[in-house]
């Protein structure tokens, strides 16, 4: 079974490389059909890999526990291990499925959106999006859509496209972690985390983060930043809010 998993992993890697080459060149009418076919095949391969991983995990659990205690012990270990198992293995089985025509259309739209937003830095986002399904349980098309959303906001605040790409991927990862930890939708985390750019303290409260100006000013002083919040420009405020939220 380990050999089967290695073969599936290698096949998935090869497919991602082919997909990346198309995305790098840009999805057009000439390569759209091949792009969708590769996405479908990758979805099936990732599903097969996730199922194989799950079987391997089950085999390990059986070696450690008897069948009578297995389900309770699995629950305990999932709680302790957290994202590595519950998101990295179980969630993909729920999220994976056939790539519908609408999903394929959405994928093409989001790939092109990322290219439009990030330009020369788009590869950073594309490469990150190839990992989020198995790492965070977030589908590639969702990752691309969220990254474009955050990227647009970052660029409008004055950040470079490279900086925006780095910020966006970090925020998508945080959104996935928060969504899992607090059992809320990606739409809710997207709305809340947009407060990093807008300064909307009310939106952030849904995550249990009290981001008032007073708290931000106190946090800035703790970081050795003596500039008053009201004297900071938009980029400085965004950087401060982002660091505060991540901390």
């Amino acid at each position: 079974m380990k050999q089967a998993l290695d073969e599936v992993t290698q096949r998935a890697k090869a497919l991602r490389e082919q997909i990346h080459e198309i995305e790098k060149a840009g999805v057009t009418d000439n390569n759209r059909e091949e792009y969708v076919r590769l996405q479908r095949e990758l979805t099936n391969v990732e599903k097969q890999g996730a199922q194989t991983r799950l079987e391997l995990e089950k085999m390990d659990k059986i070696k450690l526990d008897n069948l009578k205690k297995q389900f309770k012990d699995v629950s305990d270990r999932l709680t302790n291990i957290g994202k590595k198992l519950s998101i990295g293995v179980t969630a993909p089985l729920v999220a994976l499925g056939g790539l519908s025509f609408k999903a394929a259309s959405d994928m093409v739209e989001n790939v092109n959106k990322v290219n439009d937003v990030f330009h020369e830095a788009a590869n950073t986002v594309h490469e990150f999006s190839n990992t989020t399904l198995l790492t965070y349980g977030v589908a590639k098309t969702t990752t691309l859509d969220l990254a474009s959303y955050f990227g647009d906001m970052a660029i409008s605040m004055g950040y470079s496209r490279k900086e925006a790409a780095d910020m966006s991927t970090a925020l998508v990862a945080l959104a996935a972690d928060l969504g899992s930890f607090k059992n809320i939708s990606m739409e809710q985390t997207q709305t809340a985390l947009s407060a990093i750019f807008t300064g909307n303290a009310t939106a952030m409260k849904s995550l249990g983060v009290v981001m008032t100006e007073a708290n931000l000013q106190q946090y800035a002083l703790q970081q050795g930043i003596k500039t008053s919040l009201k004297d900071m420009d938009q980029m400085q405020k965004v950087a401060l809010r982002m660091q505060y939220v991540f901390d």
Side-chain angles (χ1 to χ4, degrees):
M1 188 171 290
K2 178 65 168 60
Q3 181 180 354
L5 180 59
D6 290 342
E7 291 174 355
V8 169
T9 301
Q10 289 301 317
R11 180 55 183 159
K13 180 181 178 182
L15 287 167
R16 290 192 193 98
E17 289 174 353
Q18 293 179 65
I19 290 169
H20 178 64
E21 287 302 314
I22 293 178
E23 290 172 346
K24 187 176 179 180
V27 180
T28 65
D29 289 338
N30 292 332
N31 60 22
R32 189 186 307 271
E33 183 175 347
E34 175 65 5
Y35 180 77
V36 171
R37 185 192 68 77
L38 290 171
Q39 287 287 353
R40 286 175 176 160
E41 186 174 353
L42 178 59
T43 296
N44 290 331
V45 169
E46 287 180 329
K47 181 178 180 180
Q48 182 182 350
Q51 290 171 332
T52 304
R53 288 174 189 273
L54 186 57
E55 290 300 319
L56 286 171
E57 293 290 346
K58 286 181 178 179
M59 289 174 62
D60 289 339
K61 294 181 182 80
I62 291 172
K63 292 176 183 178
L64 296 172
D65 314 297
N66 60 52
L67 290 175
K68 184 176 180 180
K69 295 175 56 183
Q70 184 178 357
F71 289 106
K72 180 180 183 301
D73 291 342
V74 169
S75 177
D76 291 342
R77 279 197 297 279
L78 287 180
T79 300
N80 293 331
I81 296 174
K83 181 178 67 181
K84 183 177 179 181
L85 288 179
S86 63
I87 296 180
V89 176
T90 308
L93 295 181
V94 177
L96 287 167
L99 191 65
S100 68
F101 288 108
K102 182 180 185 306
S105 176
D106 290 343
M107 178 70 77
V108 171
E109 180 181 346
N110 286 327
V111 165
N112 291 333
K113 188 190 301 182
V114 164
N115 291 339
D116 288 341
V117 171
F118 297 103
H119 292 193
E120 70 281 357
N123 279 348
T124 298
V125 179
H126 286 310
E127 290 172 3
F128 172 72
S129 72
N130 287 331
T131 69
T132 56
L133 182 59
L134 292 179
T135 305
Y136 300 106
V138 179
K140 177 171 181 170
T141 186
T142 301
T143 296
L144 296 175
D145 186 45
L146 278 177
S148 297
Y149 172 79
F150 289 131
D152 262 337
M153 299 183 81
I155 292 168
S156 71
M157 293 293 179
Y159 285 93
S160 70
R161 298 185 190 279
K162 175 63 171 66
E163 291 169 331
D166 291 338
M167 291 172 70
S168 298
T169 53
L171 286 171
V172 171
L174 179 61
D177 281 343
L178 287 170
S180 174
F181 182 71
K182 293 185 174 293
N183 194 28
I184 57 178
S185 69
M186 290 294 283
E187 288 78 9
Q188 287 175 281
T189 55
Q190 174 184 342
T191 299
L193 291 177
S194 66
I196 289 173
F197 301 98
T198 65
N200 184 350
T202 302
M204 194 60 71
K205 284 183 180 179
S206 65
L207 300 180
V209 179
V210 183
M211 197 179 67
T212 61
E213 289 196 3
N215 284 354
L216 284 171
Q217 187 65 72
Q218 181 181 9
Y219 177 77
L221 291 173
Q222 291 171 348
Q223 305 307 307
I225 302 171
K226 297 182 180 180
T227 304
S228 172
L229 195 65
K230 63 182 178 61
D231 293 330
M232 294 182 184
D233 60 28
Q234 288 300 320
M235 289 179 64
Q236 290 172 324
K237 288 179 180 178
V238 169
L240 179 63
R241 292 185 199 118
M242 188 161 180
Q243 186 175 345
Y244 177 77
V245 170
F246 269 83
D247 280 355

